[in-house]
Each structure stands twice: as C-alpha cells, then as structure tokens.
Amino acid sequence: MDLVLIVFWLLALSILTAAWAVVSGSDIVHSVVWLATVFLLTAGIFILAGAEFLAIIQVLVYVGAVSVVILFGIMLTRRTLPGGDYD
Amino acid sequence: MTSLYDWSYWFCEAWLVPLLTPLLYFQEHIMPPFSNPAGDLARWMESDPGLNVLAWTIVVNVALMIGFTNVIIVVYLERKIAARIMDRRGPMLSFHSLKEIANDLAGSIPEYGWKTTTYAGIGILQNVADGIKFFCKEMIVPAKADRLLYTIGPVIFISSSILLLVLVPFSPRVAASSAPLGLLVVMAAFSIAPIGVLTTGWACNNKYTLIGGMRSAAQLMAYEIPLLLSMAGVFLVAGSFSPMDIVAQQQEVWLFGIPMWNIIPQFLGFIVFMVCILAEVERIPFDLPEAEAELVEGWTTEIGGLRLGLTFAAEYIRGFVGAMIATVLFLGGWAGPFLPGEIWFLIKVYGILVFFIILRWTVPRIRTDQILLLGWKRLLPLSLVNLAIAILYVEVF
C-alpha cells in the first residue's frame, strides 16, 4: 500500500475522531482544543495534497484564531468548577 | 560541502554507516536458525532513503544544539546586563568559586580578608546551577486542575517554540531548513503558542493563571495583524517568503556606498515590527500574561518541575528567534564585509537582543487597554502606511 495513502487514512481517521470529540464533549474548552486539533490535522491533509501555502495559512489563520474562540468560550458561558459548584 | 545537509550526508555516508553496519551485520546471523532484523536495518541505512533520514536527523540536532547554546548565552547576558543596569555585578559563580564552595562544605573557615578572595569568574556556571535547580523541582498537579489540558498546555507552548529553532537559517551554509515559504512557516509556528498559554491558564483553576491566559489572548488580538502587515512590506519588496531571497534582495540596491537594507526605506515597518515582535515574545513592556508584580507568576504560576524550566527556556527561544527574524527581514541578515556570514548574523542578532534586554530592565509594563489602543489605533495605521511606502519603493526601483 502506498505510504501517502496510509498517512492520508491515518489523518482522516484522526480528523473524524477529533471532530466527533468536538461535538460530543461536555466541556466547552475541551471542545475548542479538539477543534484546534481538527484544524491542524486538516493542514496535514493540505500538505499531503501538495498545497503547502494553504496549509500554512490554515495554521496561521485558524489555529491562531482558535484562542479567540477559547476566550469567548470562557467569557460567555457559565463554568462548572471541577468541585461541582458554579463560580 | 556547501551546506550543513551536504556535510552531514557526507558524514553519514563516509563515517557513520560504514562504522555501524558491520556491528549490525554481525548480529544478523548470531543465532543460526533465526535471522535478526538488525540486518534489514543495516541494509536500510545503506540505501539512499536511510542515508537521507540519518542526515536530516543530524542536521536537526545540530540546529537544536546551536539554538539551545544561544539560549544559555542569552539567559547569561540577561542577568549580567540587568545587574549592570542596577549597578551590581550579577552572577559570579564560576570554576574559580568551586574551590571556595568546597572549602565551605568541608567546614574550613574561608579567609575573608581585604582582597584575599578572588572573584575572577564571569558567572557562566550560574546557568548550570539553574538547570540543576529545575531538575530538582517537584512536579505538582493542582488538586482541582483539569488534568488533560494542564498536561498538554505547556507541551503545546514548549514544542511549538522549539520548532522555531530549526526554521530560521543562520546563513546559506548553516541552515536546517530552506523552505520557499520559510518565514511564513515561522509565523505559523509562532501563532500556535497562545493556545497553550490560554489552555494552561484555564486548566490550572487559579484566578491568576486565568487572568494571565486572558491577557495573552487580548494581546494576541492587538499585535497579530500589525505584525503580519509590517512583514508584508518586506515580502512585497523581495517577492518571496524565503529568508535567502529576502537577504539577497537587500544586497541588490546600493546608495552612496551603503546597502539599502530594508530598515532604510521601510523604517516605519521596522518600528512596527519591533514593537509587535516584543509583544509576540512576551517580554517587558508587553509581558502582560506573566506580570510577576501583579499576577503571581502569570500563566506559569501553577506549573512545576522541569516543565517550568522548559517553559522559561521556550520564552527565551522565542526572544532569540524574534531577533533572528528581525535581522533577516530588516538588517540584511548574514550580509557583511570581511567576516563570515554566520558571525555577522550573530553580531546583528545579539545587538537586537541586548536592546531587548536593556529595554526590559528600564521601562515599565503597559496596561491591557493600552496595548489594545496601541495595536489598533497606532500600529495598524502605521503598518498600512509602511505597506504603501513598500509598494511605492517597488514601483520606483
């Protein structure tokens, strides 16, 4: 089997797993970190397809901007402390 | 031997593989009915892909060693210059003081007479002492912390910072990577780190770390756009993202016997870039996420053990790489008369680093609202003006 094809399937399965983790997780910050993982692995798919510029822009724009999503996720939602009570 | 890669390929082909493979072939049939995979490994090492992988491993390791050595020197410089600014001597621990420490530990009374103790050292051993201290620290996970994010947050920060070391070349000869999109890759690697800062700050379940992480995100929104716009001017003039092309372009135009490095036509861009890269590497006056006077230790408050040491090292790596990018973009990179290119590059980089350090110990920290105001109302228009100047420069020359 072709090495590129193996790497593609590994990346694709990881992306699907991470995307499932984004929507199934109960903690919003965990979801956003999984979202960043999805974006990074998508950049890997772009590199595999020979589109290096697109991959770098993907990391620069999306992965960089995910921290803003974390910011909104923390600021605009109620947070359950690990002890169980709300702050 | 034109480049580091060629040298290490030659080293693998002529020395490493001929010395290693007899050992592996000897192991292959050491137990007669079975054959050992060592033989396959040896055959792979002798093939072209195997030599390639070995050569790249050596190149990347050399780049990392050069980078970490420079980080040690930067930490040392930071302490000595800070001490001189405060009118003291700074760390003096060196091989000369080991004798006194040994006397002290043995219980003999040291002679503290007038000018009998010689402090001839320059204090380079203080870095070793620091390293030992970080190895001995206990690694604590806070009881109510989010274990997963607490663990991977510093890993994101440290790994994305160490990745930077192999991406910037010292000269066409000493370079681990010469990607045509070189500096864009560097900026992409730079922009991953705030995720690590923010997730660590949130996961520690501590108000100071959370405030530090929030400030990091606010700072990111303020400096990211002017930084890339000020770099865009240089990219436009050079017509390339590659450090080699950018440095070569700066040597093309000469005016009155001086090369027109990008700092001269694009001085505005240089100012904007220096302010933004200071914010990017989180040094004073922009070290809002780690304001040790306001937040205990910022987002690193709850980190312990060697992870804390590596986090500090990663911050210095970011400072060093920031100075390297400034040199490549605006100060002509490794170009210079008489001396070899690597020496010129290090001279320029250390000039910028000494400027960073003096700035750190002489100016106060700015507030979060001030950095947003600075980024959006001052730096963004200035970088757009610089972009217009760069377009004009391209049209004229």
Side-chain angles (χ1 to χ4, degrees), chain B residues 97-113:
Chain B
S97 39
L98 288 181
K99 204 182 86 190
E100 289 172 24
I101 293 173
N103 278 338
D104 215 17
L105 290 175
S108 58
I109 303 159
E111 295 174 22
Y112 287 122

Side-chain angles (χ1 to χ4, degrees), chain A residues 30 63 67 71 74 79 82, chain B residues 144 146 195 198 202 214 220:
Chain A
H30 286 196
V63 181
S67 56
L71 197 67
I74 296 171
R79 179 191 185 192
Chain B
K144 287 191 174 180
D146 188 317
I195 299 178
L198 198 48
W202 179 82
M214 288 294 189
L220 174 80

Side-chain angles (χ1 to χ4, degrees), chain B residues 238-320:
Chain B
S240 163
F241 295 112
S242 163
M244 313 287 170
D245 293 346
I246 288 170
V247 173
Q249 179 271 324
Q250 297 185 52
Q251 290 301 109
E252 274 170 11
V253 184
W254 289 64
L255 213 63
F256 307 118
I258 47 170
M260 289 287 276
W261 290 344
N262 280 330
I263 186 173
I264 300 170
Q266 302 191 35
F267 190 69
L268 267 180
F270 179 67
I271 299 289
V272 173
F273 180 82
M274 289 301 273
V275 173
C276 291
I277 204 76
L278 265 175
E280 172 94 55
V281 304
E282 288 167 9
R283 290 178 68 88
I284 288 179
F286 301 107
D287 73 328
L288 294 166
E290 195 200 325
E292 75 267 7
E294 306 157 19
L295 318 169
V296 181
E297 192 53 45
W299 66 280
T300 54
T301 303
E302 299 279 0
I303 306 176
L306 192 58
R307 195 177 285 174
L308 179 67
L310 280 177
T311 308
F312 283 151
E315 279 172 8
Y316 280 101
I317 288 171
R318 291 165 76 78
F320 184 68

